[in-house]
Amino acid sequence: MTQEKLSRLFEENGMRLTRPRLAVAELLLMDGVQRHVSAEWVAKELVSSNNSVSLASVYNTLNSFVEIGLLRQIDAGGASVVFDTNTSEHHHFLKVSTGELIDIESNDLEISNLPTPPEGSEIKGWSLIVHID
Ligand SMILES: [Zn+2]
């Protein structure tokens, strides 16, 4: 993901590529490495690279990335939300002792019977978290 591509993507979604957004993108999206990160981790990394951004601003930034499909938000049942740079459909192992998430490819999993959702609602998607230790 280049800065130019990023800038265009934000523009198309009616948003600007602000300094915090660029700093977070450089940290998470420019090197092509897949990560599961918390907002706290991102804030700490930015401080150590002299890009001091408040935690609230980091949250807003990460949420804007989720909104335009650059990140996926995962509720792993822990205290904080995890953001995933792998936006394709996949599932996770959760290492209970450390909170670490490890990807499970969609193809490695087969579900034959999803429950019927409550009346008036429909299934929008689903993901599985397998707890391991
Ligand atoms: Zn993942």
Side-chain angles (χ1 to χ4, degrees):
M1 176 75 60
T2 62
Q3 185 174 335
E4 195 189 322
K5 248 175 131 178
L6 205 62
S7 189
R8 202 168 42 234
L9 187 61
F10 273 100
E11 218 168 272
E12 284 166 7
N13 285 277
M15 293 186 242
R16 285 183 44 235
L17 183 56
T18 57
R19 194 183 59 84
R21 283 174 180 156
L22 181 59
V24 170
E26 280 174 344
L27 178 66
L28 296 179
L29 304 176
M30 301 288 195
D31 62 4
V33 175
Q34 295 194 345
R35 297 181 179 87
H36 303 103
V37 300
S38 65
E40 290 77 10
W41 182 86
V42 171
K44 216 168 68 190
E45 287 295 309
L46 291 181
V47 167
S48 68
S49 62
N50 289 322
N51 274 305
S52 196
V53 179
S54 73
L55 186 58
S57 179
V58 168
Y59 265 110
N60 288 339
T61 301
L62 291 170
N63 286 329
S64 72
F65 279 34
V66 170
E67 212 173 292
I68 66 175
L70 288 171
L71 291 174
R72 237 178 93 183
Q73 191 175 313
I74 301 163
D75 181 2
S80 66
V81 171
V82 176
F83 295 89
D84 195 339
T85 59
N86 180 356
T87 55
S88 69
E89 198 173 300
H90 67 285
H91 309 279
H92 294 95
F93 287 116
L94 170 65
K95 210 163 162 55
V96 176
S97 55
T98 61
E100 182 193 359
L101 288 170
I102 300 154
D103 284 351
I104 302 171
E105 292 310 318
S106 279
N107 296 340
D108 293 344
L109 192 81
E110 199 177 298
I111 296 280
S112 59
N113 194 11
L114 281 175
T116 308
E119 216 182 303
S121 52
E122 59 179 287
I123 294 174
K124 290 276 190 187
W126 60 278
S127 80
L128 185 76
I129 295 179
V130 181
H131 296 211
I132 57 173
D133 64 13

